PDB file of all heavy atoms in Angstrom:
ATOM      1  N   SER A 741      67.683   2.425  20.607  1.00 97.00           N
ATOM      2  CA  SER A 741      67.613   3.519  19.647  1.00 97.00           C
ATOM      3  C   SER A 741      66.177   3.963  19.421  1.00 97.00           C
ATOM      4  O   SER A 741      65.891   5.156  19.293  1.00 97.00           O
ATOM      5  CB  SER A 741      68.242   3.093  18.311  1.00 97.00           C
ATOM      6  OG  SER A 741      69.622   2.825  18.459  1.00 97.00           O
ATOM      7  N   TRP A 742      65.250   3.002  19.367  1.00 98.00           N
ATOM      8  CA  TRP A 742      63.828   3.328  19.218  1.00 98.00           C
ATOM      9  C   TRP A 742      63.336   4.119  20.434  1.00 98.00           C
ATOM     10  O   TRP A 742      62.574   5.081  20.300  1.00 98.00           O
ATOM     11  CB  TRP A 742      63.011   2.061  19.042  1.00 98.00           C
ATOM     12  CG  TRP A 742      61.539   2.285  19.046  1.00 98.00           C
ATOM     13  CD1 TRP A 742      60.678   2.084  20.083  1.00 98.00           C
ATOM     14  CD2 TRP A 742      60.742   2.776  17.951  1.00 98.00           C
ATOM     15  NE1 TRP A 742      59.395   2.409  19.724  1.00 98.00           N
ATOM     16  CE2 TRP A 742      59.401   2.833  18.422  1.00 98.00           C
ATOM     17  CE3 TRP A 742      61.016   3.161  16.652  1.00 98.00           C
ATOM     18  CZ2 TRP A 742      58.358   3.282  17.606  1.00 98.00           C
ATOM     19  CZ3 TRP A 742      59.979   3.593  15.841  1.00 98.00           C
ATOM     20  CH2 TRP A 742      58.668   3.657  16.322  1.00 98.00           C
ATOM     21  N   GLU A 743      63.770   3.721  21.614  1.00 98.00           N
ATOM     22  CA  GLU A 743      63.386   4.428  22.842  1.00 98.00           C
ATOM     23  C   GLU A 743      63.884   5.878  22.809  1.00 98.00           C
ATOM     24  O   GLU A 743      63.157   6.808  23.174  1.00 98.00           O
ATOM     25  CB  GLU A 743      63.979   3.699  24.050  1.00 98.00           C
ATOM     26  CG  GLU A 743      63.697   4.360  25.395  1.00 98.00           C
ATOM     27  CD  GLU A 743      64.438   3.690  26.538  1.00 98.00           C
ATOM     28  OE1 GLU A 743      64.776   2.488  26.407  1.00 98.00           O
ATOM     29  OE2 GLU A 743      64.695   4.367  27.548  1.00 98.00           O
ATOM     30  N   ILE A 744      65.118   6.066  22.367  1.00 98.00           N
ATOM     31  CA  ILE A 744      65.684   7.418  22.275  1.00 98.00           C
ATOM     32  C   ILE A 744      64.918   8.237  21.241  1.00 98.00           C
ATOM     33  O   ILE A 744      64.631   9.426  21.452  1.00 98.00           O
ATOM     34  CB  ILE A 744      67.174   7.339  21.907  1.00 98.00           C
ATOM     35  CG1 ILE A 744      67.957   6.623  23.011  1.00 98.00           C
ATOM     36  CG2 ILE A 744      67.751   8.743  21.671  1.00 98.00           C
ATOM     37  CD1 ILE A 744      69.363   6.229  22.622  1.00 98.00           C
ATOM     38  N   GLN A 745      64.555   7.599  20.126  1.00 98.00           N
ATOM     39  CA  GLN A 745      63.807   8.289  19.084  1.00 98.00           C
ATOM     40  C   GLN A 745      62.468   8.791  19.628  1.00 98.00           C
ATOM     41  O   GLN A 745      62.048   9.922  19.349  1.00 98.00           O
ATOM     42  CB  GLN A 745      63.571   7.357  17.900  1.00 98.00           C
ATOM     43  CG  GLN A 745      63.047   8.033  16.649  1.00 98.00           C
ATOM     44  CD  GLN A 745      64.134   8.780  15.899  1.00 98.00           C
ATOM     45  OE1 GLN A 745      65.312   8.546  16.107  1.00 98.00           O
ATOM     46  NE2 GLN A 745      63.744   9.679  15.012  1.00 98.00           N
ATOM     47  N   GLN A 746      61.808   7.964  20.414  1.00 98.00           N
ATOM     48  CA  GLN A 746      60.529   8.361  20.994  1.00 98.00           C
ATOM     49  C   GLN A 746      60.692   9.509  21.984  1.00 98.00           C
ATOM     50  O   GLN A 746      59.797  10.340  22.154  1.00 98.00           O
ATOM     51  CB  GLN A 746      59.866   7.154  21.674  1.00 98.00           C
ATOM     52  CG  GLN A 746      59.531   6.015  20.727  1.00 98.00           C
ATOM     53  CD  GLN A 746      58.826   6.514  19.483  1.00 98.00           C
ATOM     54  OE1 GLN A 746      57.732   7.078  19.537  1.00 98.00           O
ATOM     55  NE2 GLN A 746      59.462   6.322  18.323  1.00 98.00           N
ATOM     56  N   TYR A 747      61.858   9.577  22.626  1.00 98.00           N
ATOM     57  CA  TYR A 747      62.122  10.683  23.544  1.00 98.00           C
ATOM     58  C   TYR A 747      62.174  12.005  22.775  1.00 98.00           C
ATOM     59  O   TYR A 747      61.595  13.011  23.200  1.00 98.00           O
ATOM     60  CB  TYR A 747      63.441  10.445  24.291  1.00 98.00           C
ATOM     61  CG  TYR A 747      63.823  11.589  25.208  1.00 98.00           C
ATOM     62  CD1 TYR A 747      63.212  11.753  26.452  1.00 98.00           C
ATOM     63  CD2 TYR A 747      64.785  12.512  24.816  1.00 98.00           C
ATOM     64  CE1 TYR A 747      63.556  12.808  27.283  1.00 98.00           C
ATOM     65  CE2 TYR A 747      65.142  13.570  25.643  1.00 98.00           C
ATOM     66  CZ  TYR A 747      64.519  13.713  26.877  1.00 98.00           C
ATOM     67  OH  TYR A 747      64.866  14.763  27.697  1.00 98.00           O
ATOM     68  N   PHE A 748      62.852  11.998  21.634  1.00 98.00           N
ATOM     69  CA  PHE A 748      62.925  13.210  20.819  1.00 98.00           C
ATOM     70  C   PHE A 748      61.535  13.623  20.319  1.00 98.00           C
ATOM     71  O   PHE A 748      61.207  14.804  20.256  1.00 98.00           O
ATOM     72  CB  PHE A 748      63.862  13.006  19.632  1.00 98.00           C
ATOM     73  CG  PHE A 748      65.312  13.179  19.964  1.00 98.00           C
ATOM     74  CD1 PHE A 748      66.154  12.084  20.102  1.00 98.00           C
ATOM     75  CD2 PHE A 748      65.847  14.441  20.144  1.00 98.00           C
ATOM     76  CE1 PHE A 748      67.494  12.243  20.410  1.00 98.00           C
ATOM     77  CE2 PHE A 748      67.189  14.617  20.459  1.00 98.00           C
ATOM     78  CZ  PHE A 748      68.017  13.506  20.600  1.00 98.00           C
ATOM     79  N   VAL A 749      60.717  12.636  19.998  1.00 98.00           N
ATOM     80  CA  VAL A 749      59.375  12.928  19.479  1.00 98.00           C
ATOM     81  C   VAL A 749      58.479  13.477  20.579  1.00 98.00           C
ATOM     82  O   VAL A 749      57.852  14.535  20.436  1.00 98.00           O
ATOM     83  CB  VAL A 749      58.754  11.657  18.861  1.00 98.00           C
ATOM     84  CG1 VAL A 749      57.293  11.905  18.485  1.00 98.00           C
ATOM     85  CG2 VAL A 749      59.544  11.220  17.631  1.00 98.00           C
ATOM     86  N   LYS A 750      58.385  12.758  21.698  1.00 97.00           N
ATOM     87  CA  LYS A 750      57.433  13.101  22.745  1.00 97.00           C
ATOM     88  C   LYS A 750      57.885  14.281  23.608  1.00 97.00           C
ATOM     89  O   LYS A 750      57.070  15.096  24.035  1.00 97.00           O
ATOM     90  CB  LYS A 750      57.183  11.879  23.623  1.00 97.00           C
ATOM     91  CG  LYS A 750      56.536  10.715  22.869  1.00 97.00           C
ATOM     92  CD  LYS A 750      56.397   9.476  23.743  1.00 97.00           C
ATOM     93  CE  LYS A 750      55.768   8.322  22.970  1.00 97.00           C
ATOM     94  NZ  LYS A 750      55.678   7.086  23.796  1.00 97.00           N
ATOM     95  N   GLU A 751      59.187  14.371  23.868  1.00 97.00           N
ATOM     96  CA  GLU A 751      59.690  15.417  24.749  1.00 97.00           C
ATOM     97  C   GLU A 751      59.981  16.719  24.001  1.00 97.00           C
ATOM     98  O   GLU A 751      59.805  17.813  24.542  1.00 97.00           O
ATOM     99  CB  GLU A 751      60.977  14.932  25.443  1.00 97.00           C
ATOM    100  CG  GLU A 751      61.492  15.839  26.535  1.00 97.00           C
ATOM    101  CD  GLU A 751      60.636  15.783  27.800  1.00 97.00           C
ATOM    102  OE1 GLU A 751      59.847  14.815  27.945  1.00 97.00           O
ATOM    103  OE2 GLU A 751      60.752  16.707  28.636  1.00 97.00           O
ATOM    104  N   HIS A 752      60.400  16.586  22.730  1.00 97.00           N
ATOM    105  CA  HIS A 752      60.841  17.781  21.999  1.00 97.00           C
ATOM    106  C   HIS A 752      60.098  18.012  20.691  1.00 97.00           C
ATOM    107  O   HIS A 752      60.303  19.041  20.046  1.00 97.00           O
ATOM    108  CB  HIS A 752      62.344  17.683  21.705  1.00 97.00           C
ATOM    109  CG  HIS A 752      63.203  17.639  22.937  1.00 97.00           C
ATOM    110  ND1 HIS A 752      63.424  18.752  23.720  1.00 97.00           N
ATOM    111  CD2 HIS A 752      63.874  16.619  23.526  1.00 97.00           C
ATOM    112  CE1 HIS A 752      64.217  18.428  24.737  1.00 97.00           C
ATOM    113  NE2 HIS A 752      64.504  17.132  24.641  1.00 97.00           N
ATOM    114  N   GLY A 753      59.247  17.090  20.289  1.00 97.00           N
ATOM    115  CA  GLY A 753      58.517  17.259  19.036  1.00 97.00           C
ATOM    116  C   GLY A 753      59.404  17.245  17.806  1.00 97.00           C
ATOM    117  O   GLY A 753      59.090  17.870  16.793  1.00 97.00           O
ATOM    118  N   LEU A 754      60.520  16.501  17.871  1.00 97.00           N
ATOM    119  CA  LEU A 754      61.480  16.431  16.772  1.00 97.00           C
ATOM    120  C   LEU A 754      61.509  15.039  16.164  1.00 97.00           C
ATOM    121  O   LEU A 754      61.294  14.042  16.863  1.00 97.00           O
ATOM    122  CB  LEU A 754      62.884  16.800  17.267  1.00 97.00           C
ATOM    123  CG  LEU A 754      63.066  18.228  17.790  1.00 97.00           C
ATOM    124  CD1 LEU A 754      64.434  18.370  18.455  1.00 97.00           C
ATOM    125  CD2 LEU A 754      62.915  19.242  16.663  1.00 97.00           C
ATOM    126  N   TYR A 755      61.801  14.983  14.870  1.00 97.00           N
ATOM    127  CA  TYR A 755      61.874  13.705  14.162  1.00 97.00           C
ATOM    128  C   TYR A 755      63.212  13.597  13.433  1.00 97.00           C
ATOM    129  O   TYR A 755      63.272  13.661  12.203  1.00 97.00           O
ATOM    130  CB  TYR A 755      60.721  13.586  13.158  1.00 97.00           C
ATOM    131  CG  TYR A 755      59.366  13.487  13.805  1.00 97.00           C
ATOM    132  CD1 TYR A 755      58.655  14.641  14.150  1.00 97.00           C
ATOM    133  CD2 TYR A 755      58.787  12.253  14.088  1.00 97.00           C
ATOM    134  CE1 TYR A 755      57.414  14.565  14.752  1.00 97.00           C
ATOM    135  CE2 TYR A 755      57.548  12.165  14.689  1.00 97.00           C
ATOM    136  CZ  TYR A 755      56.867  13.325  15.018  1.00 97.00           C
ATOM    137  OH  TYR A 755      55.627  13.241  15.618  1.00 97.00           O
ATOM    138  N   PRO A 756      64.312  13.440  14.176  1.00 97.00           N
ATOM    139  CA  PRO A 756      65.609  13.291  13.512  1.00 97.00           C
ATOM    140  C   PRO A 756      65.661  12.006  12.695  1.00 97.00           C
ATOM    141  O   PRO A 756      64.896  11.065  12.943  1.00 97.00           O
ATOM    142  CB  PRO A 756      66.600  13.250  14.678  1.00 97.00           C
ATOM    143  CG  PRO A 756      65.792  12.783  15.853  1.00 97.00           C
ATOM    144  CD  PRO A 756      64.423  13.329  15.647  1.00 97.00           C
ATOM    145  N   VAL A 757      66.570  11.965  11.727  1.00 98.00           N
ATOM    146  CA  VAL A 757      66.693  10.795  10.852  1.00 98.00           C
ATOM    147  C   VAL A 757      67.112   9.582  11.677  1.00 98.00           C
ATOM    148  O   VAL A 757      68.176   9.590  12.314  1.00 98.00           O
ATOM    149  CB  VAL A 757      67.738  11.055   9.750  1.00 98.00           C
ATOM    150  CG1 VAL A 757      67.956   9.805   8.907  1.00 98.00           C
ATOM    151  CG2 VAL A 757      67.306  12.228   8.867  1.00 98.00           C
ATOM    152  N   PRO A 758      66.292   8.521  11.723  1.00 98.00           N
ATOM    153  CA  PRO A 758      66.680   7.313  12.457  1.00 98.00           C
ATOM    154  C   PRO A 758      67.764   6.559  11.712  1.00 98.00           C
ATOM    155  O   PRO A 758      67.891   6.676  10.486  1.00 98.00           O
ATOM    156  CB  PRO A 758      65.377   6.509  12.519  1.00 98.00           C
ATOM    157  CG  PRO A 758      64.593   6.973  11.342  1.00 98.00           C
ATOM    158  CD  PRO A 758      64.956   8.401  11.118  1.00 98.00           C
ATOM    159  N   VAL A 759      68.552   5.777  12.449  1.00 97.00           N
ATOM    160  CA  VAL A 759      69.670   5.047  11.850  1.00 97.00           C
ATOM    161  C   VAL A 759      69.553   3.566  12.199  1.00 97.00           C
ATOM    162  O   VAL A 759      69.391   3.205  13.373  1.00 97.00           O
ATOM    163  CB  VAL A 759      71.026   5.585  12.343  1.00 97.00           C
ATOM    164  CG1 VAL A 759      72.171   4.837  11.667  1.00 97.00           C
ATOM    165  CG2 VAL A 759      71.136   7.082  12.075  1.00 97.00           C
ATOM    166  N   LEU A 760      69.633   2.720  11.191  1.00 96.00           N
ATOM    167  CA  LEU A 760      69.652   1.273  11.360  1.00 96.00           C
ATOM    168  C   LEU A 760      71.032   0.769  10.971  1.00 96.00           C
ATOM    169  O   LEU A 760      71.576   1.177   9.943  1.00 96.00           O
ATOM    170  CB  LEU A 760      68.597   0.607  10.481  1.00 96.00           C
ATOM    171  CG  LEU A 760      67.156   1.080  10.656  1.00 96.00           C
ATOM    172  CD1 LEU A 760      66.242   0.373   9.662  1.00 96.00           C
ATOM    173  CD2 LEU A 760      66.671   0.843  12.078  1.00 96.00           C
ATOM    174  N   HIS A 761      71.584  -0.125  11.783  1.00 93.00           N
ATOM    175  CA  HIS A 761      72.916  -0.651  11.512  1.00 93.00           C
ATOM    176  C   HIS A 761      72.840  -2.067  10.960  1.00 93.00           C
ATOM    177  O   HIS A 761      71.853  -2.771  11.152  1.00 93.00           O
ATOM    178  CB  HIS A 761      73.764  -0.605  12.784  1.00 93.00           C
ATOM    179  CG  HIS A 761      74.093   0.784  13.214  1.00 93.00           C
ATOM    180  ND1 HIS A 761      75.219   1.449  12.780  1.00 93.00           N
ATOM    181  CD2 HIS A 761      73.426   1.658  14.011  1.00 93.00           C
ATOM    182  CE1 HIS A 761      75.242   2.663  13.296  1.00 93.00           C
ATOM    183  NE2 HIS A 761      74.170   2.817  14.044  1.00 93.00           N
ATOM    184  N   GLY A 762      73.891  -2.434  10.240  1.00 91.00           N
ATOM    185  CA  GLY A 762      73.931  -3.733   9.594  1.00 91.00           C
ATOM    186  C   GLY A 762      73.524  -4.861  10.524  1.00 91.00           C
ATOM    187  O   GLY A 762      74.036  -4.952  11.639  1.00 91.00           O
ATOM    188  N   GLY A 763      72.604  -5.704  10.079  1.00 90.00           N
ATOM    189  CA  GLY A 763      72.122  -6.819  10.881  1.00 90.00           C
ATOM    190  C   GLY A 763      70.859  -6.519  11.656  1.00 90.00           C
ATOM    191  O   GLY A 763      70.265  -7.433  12.235  1.00 90.00           O
ATOM    192  N   THR A 764      70.410  -5.261  11.681  1.00 93.00           N
ATOM    193  CA  THR A 764      69.179  -4.908  12.392  1.00 93.00           C
ATOM    194  C   THR A 764      67.996  -5.605  11.736  1.00 93.00           C
ATOM    195  O   THR A 764      67.848  -5.573  10.515  1.00 93.00           O
ATOM    196  CB  THR A 764      68.946  -3.384  12.356  1.00 93.00           C
ATOM    197  OG1 THR A 764      70.037  -2.726  13.005  1.00 93.00           O
ATOM    198  CG2 THR A 764      67.646  -3.022  13.053  1.00 93.00           C
ATOM    199  N   PRO A 765      67.133  -6.267  12.499  1.00 94.00           N
ATOM    200  CA  PRO A 765      65.974  -6.960  11.927  1.00 94.00           C
ATOM    201  C   PRO A 765      65.068  -6.028  11.139  1.00 94.00           C
ATOM    202  O   PRO A 765      64.943  -4.843  11.450  1.00 94.00           O
ATOM    203  CB  PRO A 765      65.256  -7.522  13.169  1.00 94.00           C
ATOM    204  CG  PRO A 765      66.327  -7.643  14.205  1.00 94.00           C
ATOM    205  CD  PRO A 765      67.249  -6.478  13.955  1.00 94.00           C
ATOM    206  N   ILE A 766      64.416  -6.566  10.127  1.00 95.00           N
ATOM    207  CA  ILE A 766      63.592  -5.781   9.216  1.00 95.00           C
ATOM    208  C   ILE A 766      62.423  -5.107   9.921  1.00 95.00           C
ATOM    209  O   ILE A 766      61.951  -4.051   9.490  1.00 95.00           O
ATOM    210  CB  ILE A 766      63.078  -6.685   8.071  1.00 95.00           C
ATOM    211  CG1 ILE A 766      62.473  -5.858   6.933  1.00 95.00           C
ATOM    212  CG2 ILE A 766      62.066  -7.685   8.592  1.00 95.00           C
ATOM    213  CD1 ILE A 766      63.472  -5.117   6.132  1.00 95.00           C
ATOM    214  N   ASN A 767      61.950  -5.675  11.025  1.00 96.00           N
ATOM    215  CA  ASN A 767      60.770  -5.100  11.673  1.00 96.00           C
ATOM    216  C   ASN A 767      61.034  -3.694  12.219  1.00 96.00           C
ATOM    217  O   ASN A 767      60.113  -2.886  12.356  1.00 96.00           O
ATOM    218  CB  ASN A 767      60.267  -6.013  12.797  1.00 96.00           C
ATOM    219  CG  ASN A 767      61.286  -6.204  13.906  1.00 96.00           C
ATOM    220  OD1 ASN A 767      62.316  -6.844  13.685  1.00 96.00           O
ATOM    221  ND2 ASN A 767      61.002  -5.688  15.090  1.00 96.00           N
TER     222      ASN A 767
END
Side-chain angles (χ1 to χ4, degrees):
S741 296
W742 173 260
E743 178 187 335
I744 297 167
Q745 192 77 18
Q746 298 312 298
Y747 177 78
F748 278 104
V749 173
K750 297 176 181 178
E751 189 73 17
H752 297 286
L754 297 171
Y755 293 87
V757 175
V759 182
L760 304 177
H761 292 270
T764 299
I766 193 72
N767 62 291

